[in-house]
Amino acid sequence: MRAIREVHSRAVRAPAETVGALLDRLGRGEDDPLFPTPAWPPMRFDRPLGVGADGGHAFVRYRVSAYEPGRRVRFDFTAGQAGWHEFGVRPVGPDSCRVEHVLESRPSPVVALTWLLGIRLVHGAVVEEAFDNIERAATGRPLTPARRSARVRLLSRLLWDRPRAVPLPATARLAHDAFPRTDFQDAWQMELRPGMPQEPEAWQGVLGRSSGFPVLGRTQDEILLGEDARHLDFRASVQVADGRVTLGTVVRIHRTTGRLYFAVVRRFHPFLARAMLRRCHRRLALAAPSAGEREAARA
């Protein structure tokens, strides 16, 4: 299979030492000023950045194979994919430098096809937005910020994280205490990306901005919405804790009409709950400040 080689580079009006110090913080979660979170999945490792650190971002897995602090870091692909990618910084003058990202891979036919169909566009967007963050953190703003094409926006939407089913957390006390008797409960959970809001109030619109459901309770990490009706009462709990957001639902049914009504609603409820949480997760991530903006604000 033909090898893939992709090179991105950008001149930055800042000393190489300044940019190199940003590069050294790759993969540090909230303290990573470079990788473009929360708009894209974060780069994470099983240990501090250094040779042997295992990790990746999204479904791409790799291991640090070379690291020169302040200058370059290379990642070898793992999980059966041959190749590597590398971030590097080199000085151009006392107050300027060039940052570069190089990817080389000899993919399988399936990986090559996905690369051509869209991963190449996503990869390019992630790298260019990382360069934007370098400029924001080092100089205050990028000279020419990257713009996402319509196709990249569509791919981002399609590839966005998906909620997973979990037991209703024991710490979601507002949900557990909502009714003395519960006829149905479930919960869906998503990982928070660095830079996403940690306050449960920010997630109040998870049921839709125009849902109009009143807030019935609040704690430091949980907000409870809901409504009572003649046939059933329901509560929606949004808990933000331990780096995750959980949407839980508890229902109390009244009368035969309530059981018949919920027998129908129950078929559609998982799909709707997942869709609402995923939509809200994406909306809040895209509205949040970028890693470079957060770094510039801290300076």
Side-chain angles (χ1 to χ4, degrees):
M1 179 58 61
R2 184 177 178 181
I4 292 172
R5 179 175 172 84
E6 186 91 351
V7 179
H8 293 256
S9 67
R10 188 181 299 187
V12 179
R13 296 179 180 177
E17 294 79 7
T18 299
V19 174
L22 300 173
L23 182 67
D24 291 339
R25 291 160 59 189
L26 262 175
R28 290 191 186 179
E30 294 284 350
D31 191 44
D32 181 346
L34 191 158
F35 211 77
T37 62
W40 300 100
M43 179 181 283
R44 288 186 170 128
F45 297 105
D46 62 353
R47 67 195 79 173
L49 189 66
V51 174
D54 275 305
H57 62 278
F59 54 84
V60 185
R61 313 313 299 165
Y62 39 78
R63 178 180 298 115
V64 179
S65 59
Y67 178 44
E68 299 175 41
R71 294 186 58 191
R72 75 180 184 106
V73 56
R74 175 175 288 199
F75 312 93
D76 285 354
F77 294 119
T78 56
Q81 183 178 351
W84 53 270
H85 70 108
E86 176 177 303
F87 279 102
V89 181
R90 60 181 177 84
V92 175
D95 296 313
S96 62
C97 64
R98 180 165 292 275
V99 293
E100 187 174 72
H101 182 275
V102 181
L103 178 147
E104 287 195 3
S105 175
R106 190 171 292 277
S108 68
V110 172
V111 173
L113 180 61
T114 60
W115 173 264
L116 292 173
L117 290 177
I119 299 303
R120 179 181 180 181
L121 292 175
V122 171
H123 165 77
V126 170
V127 172
E128 291 299 326
E129 290 179 35
F131 288 173
D132 284 353
N133 284 333
I134 289 175
E135 286 195 89
R136 285 191 182 95
T139 71
R141 66 181 181 89
L143 292 178
T144 308
R147 294 183 180 275
R148 294 179 195 161
S149 67
R151 192 172 176 188
V152 168
R153 293 195 299 271
L154 174 62
L155 289 167
S156 169
R157 183 185 298 273
L158 293 175
L159 295 171
W160 202 265
D161 305 341
R162 284 169 167 75
R164 61 187 182 92
V166 297
L168 186 65
T171 52
R173 297 312 316 168
L174 293 178
H176 281 287
D177 296 342
F179 306 125
R181 169 185 57 82
T182 297
D183 295 301
F184 171 86
Q185 68 179 38
D186 73 351
W188 300 90
Q189 191 173 82
M190 297 184 72
E191 299 283 336
L192 293 179
R193 297 176 178 181
M196 292 188 70
Q198 305 280 332
E199 305 79 18
E201 287 79 9
W203 297 82
Q204 186 172 328
V206 68
L207 301 183
R209 297 184 182 182
S210 60
S211 65
F213 295 117
V215 175
L216 304 177
R218 300 175 191 267
T219 66
Q220 185 175 355
D221 63 3
E222 185 184 8
I223 189 167
L224 191 73
L225 302 95
E227 196 167 68
D228 297 341
R230 294 182 61 187
H231 56 296
L232 62 77
D233 308 328
F234 92 94
R235 300 291 184 266
S237 159
V238 182
Q239 185 188 42
V240 184
D242 302 321
R244 301 176 182 87
V245 56
T246 306
L247 173 62
T249 304
V250 292
V251 175
R252 179 173 58 182
I253 297 173
H254 307 303
R255 304 182 181 87
T256 302
T257 54
R259 288 193 293 272
L260 293 174
Y261 172 80
F262 194 68
V264 175
V265 170
R266 188 169 181 169
R267 293 178 178 272
F268 302 97
H269 169 77
F271 170 78
L272 293 173
R274 291 196 305 268
M276 289 187 296
L277 180 57
R278 187 170 182 251
R279 187 184 304 116
C280 187
H281 189 277
R282 183 171 184 272
R283 176 172 58 81
L284 291 177
L286 295 180
S290 70
E293 290 169 335
R294 299 194 303 272
E295 178 67 17
R298 286 193 290 261

